[in-house]
């Protein structure tokens, strides 16, 4: 949190509903409590504004939850998400947005979205969610419009750089004649190695950091920096340019608030690297089409376009997604 409230959801459902109720003191705020799991009997709360919610979507979600017959929601929200939206599981882009912030959840409810809270889970599931919703961040609204717009545009640019930077660099290295003069500094004379080993090595370090006691994280970082940085370059496994681009991509992944979105971009990037390495330009084109297809043909739980307002195109809505406008203020008489 850079600005804004520092309270967050906890594992108790009643506390989480109270955090939302503190922010929306309107009798039209509805919280329907349901029960799922023959053994666990897990409590679920569906939160929405009665006068703003999409009634058809609400009825669809309510019906799907009622039809869920499982022994227990062992993985909490992930188990529920896979039960109510089992379609297109092979598409890595996330269908749901998760947030541990009560202010973000309350703002989503006021925008007409539906929030699902699951007992024993310290986060809220926001429905429906497009890719623009998932990229959006609460800090965009806690800064002035100019700063918020810059943060949002920077995150959007980084979204594309994370996906295309290393495959584009590999494509240029395979075709040095395509490199323009103003990009001549990226040309490498050494042998090019595919960065797939680095992709898996970075994931290994990330998993190791999660399971490492806090008192040992500094020694682990030093060892990883020396071994994977200096020694891997000196041994000839990688060149320094490959390490630089992979380091940028790794850090850029953390600019995404959604962990699932970061891994979706990683899967698409690995596919692009493999196809580009073996098929050159045609492989890069094929990988780009697959990545774009995964975005275009994906659907929210409401059945609408995943990349709206791009498809179908709506300029005023797109401008709201890209630019952080001033919040509306209503003048009241008296």
């Amino acid at each position: 949190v850079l600005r804004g409230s520092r309270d967050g959801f906890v594992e108790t459902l009643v506390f989480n509903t109270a955090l939302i109720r503190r922010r929306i003191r309107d009798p039209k705020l509805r919280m329907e409590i349901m029960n799922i799991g023959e053994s666990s009997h897990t409590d679920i709360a569906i939160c929405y504004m009665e006068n703003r919610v999409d009634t058809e979507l609400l009825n669809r979600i309510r019906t799907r939850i009622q039809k869920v017959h499982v022994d227990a929601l062992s993985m909490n929200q992930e188990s529920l998400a896979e039960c109510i939206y089992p379609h297109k599981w092979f598409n890595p882009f996330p269908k749901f947005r998760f947030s541990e912030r009560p202010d973000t959840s309350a703002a989503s409810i006021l925008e007409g979205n539906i929030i699902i809270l699951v007992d024993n889970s310290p986060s809220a599931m926001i429905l429906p969610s497009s890719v623009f919703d998932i990229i959006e961040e609460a800090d965009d609204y806690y800064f002035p419009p100019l700063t918020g717009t810059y943060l949002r545009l920077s995150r959007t640019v980084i979204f594309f750089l994370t996906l295309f930077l290393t495959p584009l660099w590999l494509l240029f290295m395979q075709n040095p004649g395509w490199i323009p003069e103003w990009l001549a500094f990226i040309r490498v004379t050494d042998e090019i190695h595919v960065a797939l080993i680095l992709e898996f090595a970075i994931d290994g370090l990330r998993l190791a950091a999660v399971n490492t006691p806090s008192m040992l994280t500094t020694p682990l970082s030093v060892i990883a920096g020396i071994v994977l940085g200096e020694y891997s370059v000196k041994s000839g496994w990688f060149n320094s340019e490959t390490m630089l681009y992979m380091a940028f991509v790794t850090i850029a992944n953390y600019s995404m608030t959604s962990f699932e979105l970061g891994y979706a971009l990683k899967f698409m990037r690995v596919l692009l690297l493999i196809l580009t390495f073996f098929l050159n330009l045609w492989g890069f084109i094929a990988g780009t089409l697959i990545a774009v297809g995964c975005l275009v043909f994906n659907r929210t739980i409401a059945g609408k376009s995943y990349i709206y307002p791009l498809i179908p195109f709506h300029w005023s809505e797109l401008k709201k997604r890209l630019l952080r406008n001033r919040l509306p203020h209503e003048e009241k008489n008296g």
Side-chain angles (χ1 to χ4, degrees):
V1 176
L2 296 177
R3 280 186 182 175
S5 58
R6 298 181 179 273
D7 56 351
F9 289 130
V10 294
E11 283 77 9
T12 306
L13 180 66
V14 177
F15 293 167
N16 295 340
T17 56
L19 287 172
I20 294 178
R21 176 62 71 179
R22 286 180 62 190
R23 290 166 169 81
I24 307 177
R25 302 184 181 184
D26 192 313
K28 292 185 175 61
L29 174 63
R30 295 287 184 262
M31 297 184 178
E32 299 181 10
I33 305 297
M34 307 181 72
N35 196 280
I36 292 181
E38 297 180 3
S39 296
S40 64
H41 297 286
T42 305
D43 291 325
I44 295 175
I46 305 176
C47 312
Y48 59 92
M49 290 294 289
E50 187 179 26
N51 58 334
R52 305 185 187 186
V53 70
D54 183 350
T55 308
E56 182 181 351
L57 175 61
L58 176 63
N59 293 332
R60 185 186 308 172
I61 292 176
R62 188 188 292 127
T63 302
R64 289 187 181 183
I65 293 178
Q66 291 172 348
K67 290 182 178 180
V68 172
H69 297 290
V70 293
D71 184 62
L73 293 181
S74 54
M75 293 293 107
N76 299 97
Q77 287 178 327
E78 181 59 29
S79 299
L80 179 63
E82 294 179 7
C83 289
I84 65 176
Y85 194 66
H87 312 292
K88 296 186 178 180
W89 58 269
F90 52 84
N91 193 323
F93 287 98
K95 283 75 175 174
F96 303 94
R97 179 186 178 192
F98 297 94
S99 177
E100 297 182 3
R101 301 183 57 146
D103 53 353
T104 299
S105 302
S108 299
I109 292 176
L110 292 174
E111 291 173 357
N113 294 328
I114 298 172
I115 298 296
I116 297 181
L117 302 173
V118 180
D119 197 20
N120 300 315
S121 178
S123 60
M125 186 188 305
I126 304 175
L127 309 173
S129 296
S130 66
V131 67
F132 289 100
D133 296 321
I134 297 172
I135 293 177
E136 195 176 65
E137 197 175 47
D139 287 324
D140 298 346
Y141 297 95
Y142 281 109
F143 288 97
L146 184 60
T147 307
T149 299
Y150 170 75
L151 292 175
R152 186 173 297 181
L153 291 177
S154 299
R155 203 177 304 115
T156 305
V157 171
I158 291 173
F159 175 90
F160 291 101
L161 287 178
T162 304
L163 178 60
F164 290 110
L165 181 64
T166 49
L168 266 177
W169 178 75
L170 178 61
L171 181 65
F172 281 137
M173 292 306 100
Q174 290 178 329
N175 305 275
W178 297 355
I179 302 177
E181 289 298 327
W182 60 278
L183 284 179
F185 64 91
I186 71 171
R187 187 179 288 111
V188 177
T189 56
D190 300 334
E191 185 180 356
I192 301 299
H193 298 276
V194 180
L196 292 180
I197 299 178
L198 272 180
E199 290 276 5
F200 292 113
I202 290 171
D203 272 340
L205 287 175
R206 184 183 301 178
L207 294 175
V210 170
N211 297 299
T212 302
S214 56
M215 63 188 71
L216 299 178
T217 52
T218 302
L220 176 67
S221 302
V222 173
I223 293 173
I226 294 175
V227 174
L228 285 182
E230 185 178 0
Y231 291 162
S232 60
V233 172
K234 288 183 177 180
S235 64
W237 274 48
F238 306 103
N239 11 57
S240 55
E241 288 82 1
T242 306
M243 300 288 293
L244 173 64
Y245 294 132
M246 286 306 305
F248 170 80
V249 167
T250 303
I251 296 173
N253 264 337
Y254 290 104
S255 67
M256 302 298 163
T257 56
S258 171
F259 202 71
E260 295 86 353
L261 181 60
Y263 265 104
L265 293 174
K266 180 186 182 68
F267 297 149
M268 294 293 105
R269 184 174 64 249
V270 169
L271 179 63
L272 264 170
L273 283 171
I274 294 175
L275 292 176
T276 303
F277 181 77
F278 286 106
L279 302 177
N280 208 312
L281 177 61
W282 291 109
F284 180 82
I285 294 174
T288 303
L289 291 176
I290 292 174
V292 172
C294 288
L295 284 170
V296 171
F297 295 106
N298 202 6
R299 287 289 182 269
T300 66
I301 194 171
K304 298 181 179 179
S305 173
Y306 190 65
I307 58 174
Y308 174 81
L310 277 179
I311 299 178
F313 184 76
H314 197 291
W315 169 242
S316 60
E317 288 295 327
L318 181 62
K319 189 167 60 174
K320 292 179 183 178
R321 297 290 188 172
L322 296 179
L323 306 178
R324 206 297 242 166
N325 299 322
R326 295 183 63 224
L327 297 178
H329 298 279
E330 295 182 2
E331 296 183 0
K332 296 184 179 179
N333 298 325

